């Protein structure tokens, strides 16, 4: 009899006669699977137990009582549900018997736990097959420079055609521009003594965030690939770009979360971290925090996607969140994305002293149909910045397509 590998809690595994293991997955035959489903139903919410026609609660789980619809608090009290645990509810009346569809804290935490388990399993598998890179020896440099390479809003799995918009764009073009742009920026920076590279990932590297071809908040997108293929193409693209940087200098990778691909972009970042885990010349910051900070010599850098908050608040936020870094630096910069075109704003805290320079970066992504029709057309390019240890930003580099 064929067996399936199914997840179960330690209590459920013990009840089935298994010794609990670290993975939480067990090979079950059809009878054991049916028994597990019964155990899960018994430990579930009253709605879940009712759905399995168990005797502990009314099999219909009706919201009607004495010919009237119960209120949500009365309904919870009647069926033994903690009202304070209810996150959301909806009264269903189009069925023969009205009832409440309830989302409780328990069910939400179970869903999040399941998603985290899937991600953890995936990362552990990637780590097993992570390639080994030899450690590269670097010479200490007194006049070194930081090269910031920031491929903003690449939008892999975005589709545009000259039949409807102003330019052709798809996943193949996106990857080609990212790799060509990375090498082009490295070449343009060859006149500087680069001793560190800050490589920024995220910022809508993927165009969608679910199986329905939608962004994180559910906005429909024009796409050219299945989501899984797009994810793997993005992974291979970033691996290639980071490998292009390694012969030049050690690389610090920072991930910026974004509005098109909040989850998948984060998953991609931790996948890259697992891929390069054996490389001693690379560090990763894959924190889910919206704002990231980086210090190089006399420069303070703040990085975020740029779709939230008020721009005027940014200098004080930087000083409040990183007072030590603020006090130790003279030149301060914020790199923002999201709008696909370049813009600059300066705040002055005194005569001839710039407090914060905010730069919106250009994108290599061409306008899709919606952006084209709404006049959001950008000059496609990727950008990089060179920072001196003592004098802050000394060069801005642009690679056009």
């Amino acid at each position: 009899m064929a067996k399936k590998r199914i997840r179960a809690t330690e209590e459920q595994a013990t009840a089935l006669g298994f010794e609990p293991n670290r993975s939480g997955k067990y090979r079950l035959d059809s009878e054991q699977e049916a028994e597990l489903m019964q155990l899960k139903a018994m430990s579930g919410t009253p709605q879940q137990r009712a759905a399995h026609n168990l005797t502990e609660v009314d099999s219909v789980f009706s919201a009607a009582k004495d010919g009237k619809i119960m209120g949500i608090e009365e309904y919870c009290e009647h069926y033994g549900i903690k009202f304070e645990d209810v996150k959301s509810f909806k009264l269903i009346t189009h069925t023969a018997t009205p009832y409440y569809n309830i989302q409780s804290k328990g069910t939400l935490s179970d869903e999040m736990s399941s998603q985290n388990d899937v991600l953890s399993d995936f990362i552990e598998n990637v780590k097993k097959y992570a390639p080994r890179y030899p450690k590269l020896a670097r010479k200490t440099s007194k006049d070194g420079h930081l090269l910031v390479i920031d491929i903003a809003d690449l939008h892999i799995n975005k589709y545009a055609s000259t039949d409807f918009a102003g330019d052709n764009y798809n996943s193949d073009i996106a990857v080609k521009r990212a790799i060509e742009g990375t090498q082009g920026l490295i070449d343009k920076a060859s006149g500087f003594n680069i001793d560190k590279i800050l490589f920024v990932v995220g910022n809508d590297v993927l165009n969608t965030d679910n199986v329905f071809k939608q962004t994180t908040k559910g906005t429909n997108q024009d796409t050219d690939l299945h989501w899984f293929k797009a994810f793997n193409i993005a992974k291979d693209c970033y691996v290639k770009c980071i490998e292009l940087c390694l012969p030049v200098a050690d690389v610090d990778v920072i991930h910026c979360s974004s509005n098109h691909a909040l989850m998948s972009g984060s998953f991609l970042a931790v996948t890259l971290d697992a891929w390069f885990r054996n490389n001693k010349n690379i560090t990763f910051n894959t924190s889910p925090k919206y704002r990231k900070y980086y210090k190089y010599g006399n420069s303070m850098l703040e990085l975020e996607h740029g779709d939230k908050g008020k721009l005027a608040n940014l200098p004080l936020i930087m000083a409040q969140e990183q007072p030590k870094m603020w006090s130790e630096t003279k030149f301060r910069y914020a790199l923002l994305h999201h709008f696909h075109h370049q813009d600059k704003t300066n705040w002055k805290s005194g005569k001839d002293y710039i407090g914060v320079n905010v730069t919106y970066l250009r994108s290599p992504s061409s306008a899709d149909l919606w952006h084209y029709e709404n006049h959001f057309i950008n000059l496609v390019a990727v950008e990089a910045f060179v920072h001196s240890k003592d004098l802050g930003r000394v060069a801005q580099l642009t690679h056009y397509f």
Side-chain angles (χ1 to χ4, degrees), residues 75-130:
Y75 183 83
C76 289
E77 182 180 0
H78 182 75
Y79 290 106
I81 303 171
K82 290 184 178 180
F83 178 70
E84 58 269 23
D85 287 345
V86 174
K87 298 289 292 185
S88 63
F89 64 89
K90 182 178 181 180
L91 177 62
I92 308 299
T93 58
H94 60 268
T95 56
T97 304
Y99 66 96
Y100 282 99
N101 187 351
I102 296 176
Q103 186 79 57
S104 66
K105 289 181 180 178
T107 55
L108 285 173
S109 61
D110 288 345
E111 290 174 10
M112 290 300 296
S113 177
S114 176
Q115 290 180 8
N116 290 334
D117 288 342
V118 171
L119 177 60
S120 297
D121 289 346
F122 178 73
I123 297 303
E124 286 303 316
N125 286 330
V126 172
K127 286 181 177 180
K128 291 179 183 178
Y129 299 100

Side-chain angles (χ1 to χ4, degrees), residues 5-23:
R5 197 161 180 256
I6 300 175
R7 187 178 297 279
T9 65
E10 291 186 3
E11 292 79 7
Q12 293 163 352
T14 302
L16 292 170
F18 290 97
E19 184 73 23
N21 59 42
R22 291 181 64 185
S23 70

